[in-house]
Amino acid sequence: GWRPHNLGVQAGLVQFAGTLFFNANTAGALISGLGATGRDILVWTPNMIGSVCFLVASQFAIMEVSHRAISFQPRSVSWWITAINMLGSIFFMISAVASFAPPDAAALAPSIANLGTFLGGLCFFVAAYLLIPEMFEEPAGG
């Protein structure tokens, strides 16, 4: 059922918002001839907001799975999914910071930005793959 106060639901909503910001970032990056202000507003800002949303959603997911802010549960596939998603979110944030372009200059560290995006996407892919074995994991106490 619909449980809007459930951390899992909140994580999904915040992740969805972050995805929308990343789509706005992508659309803004396709516009040619943007000046420094336009790049900041249409490309970098949605990238940063989306990255923050992903970090918040990942923390909500960890709290939903672990029932506390920080945990280490290496025998739980659900824990691994949330931990790898958090790592991916951290890589996306590194990418966003590295992609900042001061006025009339290129991005601060484009190689780091590209690597962060790649590693973040890879983490999300691995975490999504782990949803398959999670389906067959025995529930705790059962």
Side-chain angles (χ1 to χ4, degrees):
W2 173 246
R3 300 180 315 180
H5 298 294
N6 178 285
L7 281 172
V9 171
Q10 291 177 13
L13 292 173
V14 174
Q15 184 93 11
F16 178 68
T19 301
L20 294 177
F21 279 106
F22 280 126
N23 284 324
N25 158 271
T26 301
L30 294 173
I31 300 172
S32 62
L34 286 177
T37 303
R39 275 194 324 260
D40 284 347
I41 293 171
L42 296 176
V43 180
W44 189 75
T45 300
N47 193 8
M48 283 300 294
I49 295 170
S51 294
V52 168
C53 287
F54 274 29
L55 284 168
V56 169
S58 294
Q59 183 59 43
F60 283 172
I62 286 171
M63 290 166 42
E64 171 69 15
V65 166
S66 304
H67 305 290
R68 52 187 171 271
I70 299 172
S71 72
F72 183 67
Q73 300 173 9
R75 293 188 175 149
S76 167
V77 176
S78 298
W79 180 84
W80 277 107
I81 291 168
T82 60
I84 293 169
N85 269 329
M86 176 59 87
L87 183 60
S89 296
I90 291 168
F91 281 130
F92 280 133
M93 178 56 78
I94 291 168
S95 173
V97 170
S99 69
F100 178 73
D104 301 323
L108 292 178
S111 296
I112 293 173
N114 290 335
L115 182 62
T117 300
F118 172 76
L119 292 175
L122 183 62
C123 285
F124 277 36
F125 175 78
V126 169
Y129 177 80
L130 287 176
L131 290 169
I132 297 168
E134 183 191 41
M135 287 188 314
F136 302 105
E137 188 177 52
E138 290 293 324

